[in-house]
Amino acid sequence: MAEIKFEKAMDRLEHIVEELEKGELDIDKSLEIFEEGIKMSRVCSKKLNEAEQKIEKLTKNQKGELVAELFPTDADEDVDDDD
Amino acid sequence: MTQAQSQTAGRIPAEQPHVYSVSEITRDVRAILEAAFETAWIEGEISNFRQAASGHAYFVLKDDKAQIKCVLFRGQRMGVKFTPEDGDQVLLLGRVTVYEARGDYQVIVEAMEPKGLGALQKAFEQLKEKLAKEGLFDESRKKPLPEVPWKIGIVTSPTGAAIRDMIHVIRRRNPKMSILLYPAKVQGEGSAEEIAQGIRELNKRKDIDVLIVGRGGGSIEDLWAFNEEVVARAIAESKIPVVSAVGHEIDFTVADFVSDLRAPTPSAAAELVVPKLTDIEQDLQYLTNQMIERMEEDIEDYRERVRYLVDRRFFREPRQILEAPTQRLDEMVQRLLRGLDQWVLVKRGSLTQIGYRLFQASPSRQLKTLSERRIDLVARLQRRMESQINLKKEKLGGVAKSLGALSPLNVLDRGYSITTSQKTGKAVTSNQQVKKGDTVRIRLAKGQLDATVDETIE
């Protein structure tokens, strides 16, 4: 299964909350979307937890292809200084 | 003076005069003109402007008294930041020369800018108008920014203040946001092409959610790349939403108009594009809690309903089913008891009758003696039974007494008598029951009489 986009998952979660709030669904359907909502919530937190900042810049390699390489920033130096 | 004068004056040349060919004289005129006006600033109004397929442009520069042909070659055309139009007042720098093939003298334009309005300003207005006509600034074209981007593509100089400011802001708002920088020259020769290329390159990737294209503040010339058509086109073609972030708040570029969102500065662009991580986390937490609460409420509702149903359908009704026979049983017991009571009453009734007959059959004295004997007997046998037996006796006595009170014999005491037919032995209550000559027995309070019916009287 393709990875669910964070935003899509959030939207879905929001939609599920709305559906549950309307209270028009039967218990089976409610439980079904609730389960889906929990899944979406997990996907989102997982994504949030796993996300790590990468600051890169594109540079041409010897073959002339663009490759991403780390872009050093002041903040990196600050961190070093702080340490 | 001169050769020409002497030639004309004399009509017939004294000596062989110099005869120019057209080419020669034209070349000489050209050489003289070019030497005299190596470069010159000329001011005038453009008319008859025409752009040839070759890329060269031709026009006439005029004022109210004269006019001069001008050529704007393709190479120089590129350096002119606006599209000249008839009626434009311009200041141009050019070389005066002769177009030998026609013998026209003309000005080769090296540089040109509109008078009054700055050249760049005019160019800006013109490109803006052109792209607006194409609909590139239409609101309907604007793509919404992603609410939660994960990776931002930035096209700017890797060494400028803009990238540092943006990284700073992005770090502060969301320390998990990734950035991919396309380093591009942002001013000077070739900068517009590099910026456009950056936008296209980042569009080839799948991991970029939003683009920021921009640079820090500078003069209008410094920012010029962002007013170039090639940049505007690249932004317009971008599949990824583009935020323009050029210069300061007061600087507007064509890139700003064509982008999906204009940020007043690069830092502001970072603010606009990057939501706070804490906000996202809060949103997620809120939604998740909301959902769980809803579901719990739902389940509690259902639990309540199930409880209710279980109460009614699965437990209460069978209980009712059980209750019905119980009720029937109760009813039957009731009826049985009532029947029993009835039976007792009936029995009591017969007891009364028996009592009555007993009373009739045996004199009270005998009864008394019997009772006394029984009392004695019972008293001797078991003292504990005495009261009970007494009670029974009293009851029986009571009954007998009350029966005695109703006894017709008591009526006899008051002078009434009972007549019974000797023939039938039944009490005579009507004269129809007897005939003349029948014998009857008349019972009095004390003793009885036998008598003969003399007559039946109506």
Side-chain angles (χ1 to χ4, degrees):
Chain A
M1 194 181 76
E3 196 191 357
I4 304 161
K5 279 220 155 201
F6 183 89
E7 247 181 316
K8 283 253 160 60
M10 282 288 271
D11 285 352
R12 184 69 192 132
L13 185 57
E14 204 168 355
H15 181 74
I16 286 169
V17 171
E18 277 167 17
E19 281 295 305
L20 288 174
E21 269 171 355
K22 269 192 239 156
E24 287 166 359
L25 299 172
D26 59 39
I27 186 77
D28 286 340
K29 189 71 194 159
S30 287
L31 283 169
E32 192 187 312
I33 64 167
F34 174 74
E35 212 169 295
E36 193 194 339
I38 290 291
K39 204 170 118 196
M40 293 299 128
S41 174
R42 287 212 182 106
V43 164
C44 290
S45 348
K46 191 162 168 252
K47 200 136 192 195
L48 282 176
N49 290 334
E50 285 176 357
E52 251 182 72
Q53 188 172 56
K54 263 200 290 184
I55 300 182
E56 297 167 307
K57 71 169 180 178
L58 286 172
T59 34
K60 279 208 172 93
N61 65 11
Q62 283 164 331
K63 288 183 201 161
E65 296 159 338
L66 283 170
V67 287
E69 64 175 37
L70 205 66
F71 181 69
T73 62
D74 299 348
D76 294 334
E77 288 154 27
D78 288 349
V79 170
D80 291 344
D81 290 348
D82 289 345
D83 291 346
Chain B
M1 265 267 66
T2 100
Q3 220 172 19
Q5 262 179 352
S6 60
Q7 276 165 16
T8 19
R11 287 247 168 192
I12 297 147
E15 45 193 283
Q16 194 68 325
H18 180 80
V19 179
Y20 287 96
S21 69
V22 175
S23 299
E24 273 174 344
I25 193 155
T26 306
R27 197 169 55 232
D28 280 3
V29 168
R30 179 182 168 185
I32 291 162
L33 276 177
E34 283 183 355
F37 304 99
E38 200 184 338
T39 53
W41 286 100
I42 312 167
E43 191 184 316
E45 183 190 318
I46 288 177
S47 75
N48 209 12
F49 186 91
R50 120 191 110 74
Q51 175 91 51
S54 58
H56 308 323
Y58 305 91
F59 60 94
V60 170
L61 195 68
K62 64 176 187 183
D63 60 19
D64 51 355
K65 293 191 189 76
Q67 60 182 49
I68 185 171
K69 287 185 173 170
C70 298
V71 183
L72 181 56
F73 288 119
R74 195 162 65 122
Q76 280 69 42
R77 173 76 183 84
M78 309 277 265
V80 174
K81 299 290 185 194
F82 72 105
T83 304
E85 284 168 354
D86 289 353
D88 282 358
Q89 289 292 330
V90 295
L91 176 64
L92 62 78
L93 179 67
R95 296 180 284 116
V96 180
T97 184
V98 174
Y99 179 45
E100 294 175 23
R102 284 185 179 275
D104 287 345
Y105 95 93
Q106 60 185 20
V107 174
I108 309 288
V109 180
E110 295 292 344
M112 181 166 75
E113 66 177 51
K115 275 217 73 189
L117 204 62
L120 295 179
Q121 191 58 37
K122 183 157 169 69
F124 168 79
E125 295 296 344
Q126 283 170 341
L127 180 60
K128 204 179 122 192
E129 195 186 334
K130 178 178 163 188
L131 297 181
K133 267 187 195 149
E134 285 182 38
L136 293 193
F137 305 161
D138 289 359
E139 277 304 312
S140 60
R141 281 185 56 97
K142 308 278 183 210
K143 294 179 280 293
L145 299 193
E147 278 171 45
V148 185
W150 293 94
K151 194 162 191 175
I152 299 176
I154 300 179
V155 179
T156 193
S157 159
T159 54
I163 185 68
R164 282 203 313 275
D165 291 351
M166 286 190 277
I167 288 172
H168 179 73
V169 172
I170 292 167
R171 270 230 166 99
R172 175 162 53 72
R173 292 180 68 83
N174 185 346
K176 297 193 165 185
M177 182 73 61
S178 287
I179 299 166
L180 183 59
L181 170 67
Y182 185 96
K185 250 173 88 175
V186 289
Q187 68 187 75
E189 193 69 27
S191 55
E193 284 70 24
E194 277 191 28
I195 294 163
Q197 187 59 28
I199 295 166
R200 286 192 292 263
E201 282 299 336
L202 291 173
N203 261 281
K204 287 180 190 162
R205 304 179 63 98
K206 296 277 174 279
D207 57 346
I208 307 295
D209 299 312
V210 59
L211 287 183
I212 300 175
V213 178
R215 54 154 293 150
S219 67
I220 184 169
E221 287 84 5
D222 291 342
L223 308 184
W224 195 253
F226 295 90
N227 284 321
E228 296 275 6
E229 188 166 349
V230 60
V231 171
R233 298 267 173 216
I235 292 173
E237 282 159 19
S238 176
K239 301 267 183 296
I240 305 169
V242 176
V243 176
S244 66
V246 183
H248 298 302
E249 189 140 13
I250 48 155
D251 300 319
F252 274 86
T253 63
V254 172
D256 290 327
F257 291 101
V258 74
S259 64
D260 297 297
L261 183 71
R262 173 196 183 250
T265 64
S267 298
E271 297 263 353
L272 288 168
V273 162
V274 180
K276 277 190 186 163
L277 181 62
T278 49
D279 288 352
I280 304 168
E281 284 168 340
Q282 264 173 22
D283 280 2
L284 176 62
Q285 198 55 50
Y286 173 78
L287 281 176
T288 307
N289 289 346
Q290 198 72 359
M291 181 182 65
I292 290 170
E293 255 172 51
R294 280 287 140 213
M295 198 65 226
E296 275 173 355
E297 268 174 39
D298 257 27
I299 285 174
E300 194 41 53
D301 279 358
Y302 278 107
R303 189 169 284 152
E304 200 55 48
R305 276 171 68 182
V306 167
R307 239 181 249 138
Y308 177 72
L309 287 175
V310 160
D311 257 16
R312 289 187 49 150
R313 302 247 152 87
F314 298 116
F315 282 88
R316 221 163 114 184
E317 276 200 350
R319 202 179 293 158
Q320 271 180 356
I321 290 164
L322 268 178
E323 266 169 4
T326 309
Q327 221 172 11
R328 255 171 71 90
L329 185 66
D330 281 353
E331 209 174 62
M332 278 162 70
V333 167
Q334 282 294 317
R335 275 167 63 185
L336 201 62
L337 285 175
R338 240 183 287 132
L340 224 57
D341 282 353
Q342 202 63 40
W343 184 82
V344 166
L345 272 177
V346 169
K347 286 295 167 202
R348 195 171 285 157
S350 25
L351 185 65
T352 310
Q353 270 180 340
I354 287 164
Y356 171 59
R357 273 156 62 188
L358 192 65
F359 183 84
Q360 267 193 325
S362 43
S364 47
R365 199 168 49 82
Q366 268 180 325
L367 191 65
K368 207 179 166 185
T369 310
L370 181 63
S371 296
E372 275 167 4
R373 272 171 62 197
R374 278 171 73 182
I375 291 162
D376 291 342
L377 186 67
V378 166
R380 277 204 305 275
L381 286 173
Q382 200 169 9
R383 284 195 66 181
R384 274 186 69 185
M385 290 297 286
E386 191 183 353
S387 62
Q388 262 191 319
I389 287 166
N390 264 338
L391 198 69
K392 276 186 179 170
K393 191 196 81 182
E394 264 170 40
K395 263 189 183 167
L396 192 62
V399 167
K401 211 166 163 187
S402 59
L403 284 173
L406 293 170
S407 166
L409 297 184
N410 288 348
V411 178
L412 302 186
D413 286 339
R414 284 185 269 155
Y416 294 95
S417 59
I418 298 165
T419 306
T420 52
S421 159
Q422 292 285 63
K423 211 191 302 178
T424 62
K426 285 185 178 167
V428 177
T429 57
S430 153
N431 60 359
Q432 300 293 306
Q433 286 172 267
V434 291
K435 295 191 293 279
K436 189 178 173 182
D438 281 357
T439 54
V440 294
R441 177 161 289 174
I442 300 162
R443 183 186 285 259
L444 303 172
K446 276 183 186 153
Q448 46 195 24
L449 307 166
D450 281 340
T452 307
V453 176
D454 291 340
E455 197 161 358
T456 59
I457 303 152
E458 282 306 309

